[in-house]
Amino acid sequence: MSSRIDLHTHSTASDGTLTPAELVRAAAEAGLDVLALTDHDTTAGWASAVRALPPGLGLVRGAEISCRWFGTEPAVPLHLLAYLFDPDAPELVAELARVRAAREERGERIVALLRADGIDVSWPEILAGAAGGTVGRPHIAQALIRAGLVATTNEAFGPDWLGERYRLPKEDIDVFHAVRLVRAAGGVPVFAHPRATRRGRIVPDALIAELATVGLAGLEADHEDHSPAERAHVRALAGELGLVVTGSSDFHGTHKTVRLGAHTTTEEAYERIVAEASGVTGVAYG
Ligand code: AMP
Ligand code: FE
Ligand code: FE
Ligand code: ZN
């Protein structure tokens, strides 16, 4: 029987709703063989996920790094999945801490914009809702739901709310710098949902080709935010550039409707990723 491998998920260490321990248990119950924990800009969930690992489940410790491509104006935000990197690599640790701080500052500014329009949401309450995890717009979305202004997280990401009107940029990491830092930390960088036009602007293929020359290892093709045509495009591009192709759920618990294992990665692709990691952080087994 072939393995079921899901390489992109979030816990309460960022904007997911299951704790890392609940997430690994849910992964085993969903019949997964390998799960990657990829919280936004943090490794804070790693230890408790490892401690709670059910027998038979492999855990790839990772993160989803908030990046930006500054090659066009305005710069394009993008997400870089990073697997099996050294969580103590000083430069990477410092950059992640800087981005987390920038997220808090930006969240507070978004709340100020909302409040200036008479919308009664409270930053201290939103921050408390993140419970020490990396704060993001999904946490602000919960406040909008509590205030009865929208019914769902998805609605909160609409153009009248956090998707456009009350959307502010945050201080992300230059994507070339991020790829180099992840590689220097022994990790393996994979571009998350690179073609997801429904999330906003995307980068040109030429940029992805350039990133491949500085260490990008793979592209996430199968993702709920990609149309079938977008998946096919990513697959073809990865083939041209010799990059690994992944598929994953990007599970966020109840903050999204997608289920664990909704999209998966082949064993061959997974093995290539593991082989490219330098071994400081190996796959953990339950
Ligand atoms: P932020 O990281 O603060 O910019 O917020 C973006 C995060 O919100 C992403 O990680 C997504 O997981 C999540 N997100 C984006 N669009 C939606 C949506 N329509 N519904 C639920 N979550 C979303
Ligand atoms: Fe998220
Ligand atoms: Fe993402
Ligand atoms: Zn994600």
Side-chain angles (χ1 to χ4, degrees), residues 50 102-103 107 110 123 132 141 154 197-198 209:
V50 170
R103 280 173 162 280
I110 291 175
W123 175 244
N154 201 34
T197 48
R198 69 182 62 152

Side-chain angles (χ1 to χ4, degrees), residues 8 10 14-16 38 40 64 79 103 138 157 199 250-252 256:
H8 182 172
H10 297 263
S14 65
D15 56 3
T38 54
H40 295 286
E64 185 174 21
H79 288 170
R103 280 173 162 280
F157 274 87
R199 297 173 78 111
D250 200 357
F251 178 76
H252 278 69
K256 281 191 178 178

Side-chain angles (χ1 to χ4, degrees), residues 117-187:
D117 284 350
I119 295 153
D120 188 21
V121 286
S122 140
W123 175 244
E125 199 177 298
I126 290 163
L127 199 55
T134 305
V135 73
R137 282 179 287 160
H139 299 108
I140 304 174
Q142 300 323 299
L144 295 175
I145 293 171
R146 283 194 298 270
L149 295 159
V150 297
T152 62
T153 308
N154 201 34
E155 203 184 324
F157 274 87
D160 292 342
W161 300 102
L162 305 172
E164 200 175 305
R165 175 146 186 202
Y166 299 99
R167 180 178 190 167
L168 291 177
K170 56 189 188 313
E171 300 280 318
D172 303 314
I173 307 174
D174 172 272
V175 64
F176 286 93
H177 190 48
V179 166
R180 290 195 186 93
L181 287 180
V182 170
R183 284 291 192 181

Side-chain angles (χ1 to χ4, degrees), residues 24-41:
V24 292
R25 282 185 226 119
E29 275 161 30
L32 293 179
D33 299 290
V34 177
L35 177 83
L37 174 64
T38 54
D39 277 305
H40 295 286
D41 307 311

